[in-house]
Amino acid sequence: MEPAPITSIELLLDADAEAAVRAEWDALAAAGLSSMAPHTSPSNRPHVTLLARRGGVPHPLALPDDALPVPLVLGAPLLFGDGDRRVLVRSVVPSAALLALQAAVRDAAGAGDDVDHMAPGTWTPHVTLARRLRLADLERALPLVGGELACEGVALRRWDAGTRTVTAL
C-alpha cells in the first residue's frame, strides 16, 4: 500500500524577509548552483514548516488569536542529508515564541502520523534555499547566503502534497 501523502502547516515570512530569501535563491541560481528559484509554482514560497504528517490535518485549526505575528531570526546556513548532495537551509533560531507556536499548531492538529523529524525535541526550524546542492559547490554557495536577519512569521498555510494545493489558514 502506498503511504498517505504529506500534509504540512507552514509559517510564511514577512514581505521583506521573503524578498531577502528569494534574493538568495536567485543568487544561487545565477551562480549555476542548486536553488529553489527555478521552482516557479505559486506554492513555492519561503516558509518554516511547523508540522508535517502523513494524511490530513484538521481544518480549520483552532489557534490562539495572538499566535501571529511571531518574531523570527533567520540565522546561519545548515546542511541536511548525507552523500555528495545536501539540502542547504537558513537556520531559524528556535525562540520561545516559535516553539510555542509550533506546540499550538501540534495541539490544534491533534494526534496523527507525524513525520519523524517534526517531533518535539527533533524539529530543526529552517527555510530551504536549495535541494541537492553538491558538496563540491558549498564553497561557492555559502558567500551567497546572507547574515542574521530579524523578521516575523506573519501567516500560516496548509500544503497538501496529495492534491498539490495550498490553503491559507
Side-chain angles (χ1 to χ4, degrees):
M1 180 160 70
E2 211 173 295
I6 301 291
T7 301
S8 60
I9 304 299
E10 302 170 343
L11 175 64
L12 301 178
L13 309 178
D14 65 57
D16 289 343
E18 180 167 334
V21 171
R22 286 183 182 276
E24 291 173 354
W25 290 358
D26 291 343
L28 290 164
L33 301 170
S34 177
S35 170
M36 296 300 292
H39 306 281
T40 58
S41 165
S43 65
N44 186 38
R45 290 181 67 181
H47 65 273
V48 179
T49 301
L50 299 174
L51 174 71
R53 85 171 24 153
R54 293 165 199 86
V57 174
H59 184 70
L61 289 177
L63 295 172
D65 291 337
D66 64 349
L68 297 173
V70 62
L72 299 174
V73 175
L74 302 188
L78 297 173
L79 294 175
F80 293 145
D82 54 27
D84 71 332
R85 291 183 182 255
R86 306 290 174 92
V87 178
L88 175 66
V89 305
R90 287 286 299 265
S91 62
V92 177
V93 176
S95 66
L98 180 58
L99 294 172
L101 176 60
Q102 193 221 17
V105 166
R106 288 179 56 80
D107 289 348
D113 186 11
D114 293 349
V115 175
D116 292 341
H117 67 271
M118 297 304 299
T122 63
W123 177 58
T124 302
H126 65 276
V127 176
T128 301
L129 300 177
R131 292 192 171 99
R132 301 191 44 79
L133 178 73
R134 293 179 190 277
L135 284 180
D137 292 333
L138 190 58
E139 187 175 344
R140 291 183 9 198
L142 289 180
L144 303 175
V145 178
E148 188 171 282
L149 175 64
C151 59
E152 290 185 326
V154 296
L156 295 175
R157 70 180 188 174
R158 169 195 320 270
W159 164 247
D160 183 329
T163 62
R164 306 189 69 74
T165 56
V166 172
T167 306
L169 300 179

